[in-house]
Amino acid sequence: MELMELLKTRRTYRRFEQRPIPQEDLEVILESARYASSAANRQPLRYLVIREPAKLAHVFEHTKWAAYLPPEQGTPREEERPVLFIAVLIDEAISSAAAAGTDAGLAISNMTLTAWDRGIGSCIIGACDRPWLAEHLMLPEKWYLHSLVAFGYPTHTSRCEKFTGSVEYYLDEQGNYHVPKRSTKETVREF
């Protein structure tokens, strides 16, 4: 896919087919995270792949979805849930969570763009029960859960719309997402 089209169409997807992601695609997604820039090249990020159905269900129960929508619209139903989570972790023995936040964002961007290039949608989840997940995912003491990224083949579309005064995304009658985006002219100044 051409780069600007990839950037424009890589949106958040919250409802997925119940079709597994091939191992070779997962490996490329994870490899793409490795190529992300890292402050001082410290490379403090670690990743935990969760794809076994019972574990996925357990993790899912400790996440929150689509804050602008009522839960019955924004939270995936059981037959729409992600087929894969990647937990993005920061090894605080190497770098603090505050210092490594940009590293995490860059790695997540690489993973979600790589996935979308293969037709795999994603949803970045920061609204989760970190203490519960840290305990139940058996994270080492110095590892901080930055976020979860949900992956799967989307069952809906998600597209950018012209900003008309509200940043709240919404669903149309078919359940497709519309995401208002401010214009470049509105967001850029020259000095």
Side-chain angles (χ1 to χ4, degrees):
M1 192 180 301
E2 193 265 326
L3 179 60
M4 287 307 288
E5 186 65 18
L6 182 67
L7 294 170
K8 181 178 164 185
T9 60
R10 201 260 357 121
R11 313 287 347 126
T12 294
Y13 296 92
R14 295 183 177 90
R15 296 187 313 275
F16 306 99
E17 295 176 16
Q18 297 306 290
R19 169 167 56 121
I21 294 170
Q23 179 65 27
E24 56 272 15
D25 286 341
L26 174 59
E27 289 173 9
V28 172
I29 291 166
L30 291 166
E31 183 74 6
S32 75
R34 192 172 76 83
Y35 291 122
S37 297
S38 176
N41 200 33
R42 298 191 77 188
Q43 304 172 57
L45 301 181
R46 303 293 179 261
Y47 308 94
L48 178 63
V49 175
I50 305 153
R51 60 179 161 178
E52 192 271 314
K55 292 177 182 172
L56 282 167
H58 217 51
V59 169
F60 181 87
E61 295 303 323
H62 296 275
T63 59
K64 291 186 170 89
W65 293 72
Y68 289 137
L69 299 174
E72 66 275 6
Q73 289 183 347
T75 302
R77 295 185 304 252
E78 189 169 348
E79 67 275 10
E80 302 172 323
R81 292 180 179 179
V83 296
L84 172 74
F85 280 114
I86 296 177
V88 179
L89 311 164
I90 298 171
D91 183 344
E92 292 191 298
I94 297 173
S95 185
S96 72
T102 300
D103 287 15
L106 291 166
I108 291 167
S109 183
N110 279 13
M111 288 191 295
T112 60
L113 285 165
T114 299
W116 186 236
D117 192 44
R118 287 160 174 68
I120 301 165
S122 59
C123 181
I124 303 162
I125 303 168
C128 57
D129 184 346
R130 284 181 178 79
W132 188 93
L133 289 165
E135 178 183 342
H136 288 83
L137 296 174
M138 298 181 280
L139 300 182
E141 186 178 322
K142 287 282 189 178
W143 287 18
Y144 171 78
L145 174 60
H146 178 275
S147 52
L148 293 166
V149 185
F151 292 93
Y153 296 95
T155 61
H156 63 90
T157 63
S158 183
R159 56 183 259 197
C160 295
E161 301 288 346
K162 183 178 178 183
F163 175 77
T164 58
S166 174
V167 295
E168 292 187 18
Y169 47 81
Y170 59 93
L171 299 178
D172 63 21
E173 303 79 37
Q174 291 78 40
N176 295 313
Y177 280 79
H178 296 265
V179 184
K181 291 297 214 179
R182 298 178 194 276
S183 70
T184 303
K185 184 176 180 180
E186 186 179 353
T187 61
V188 176
R189 283 183 52 193
E190 286 194 40
F191 179 74

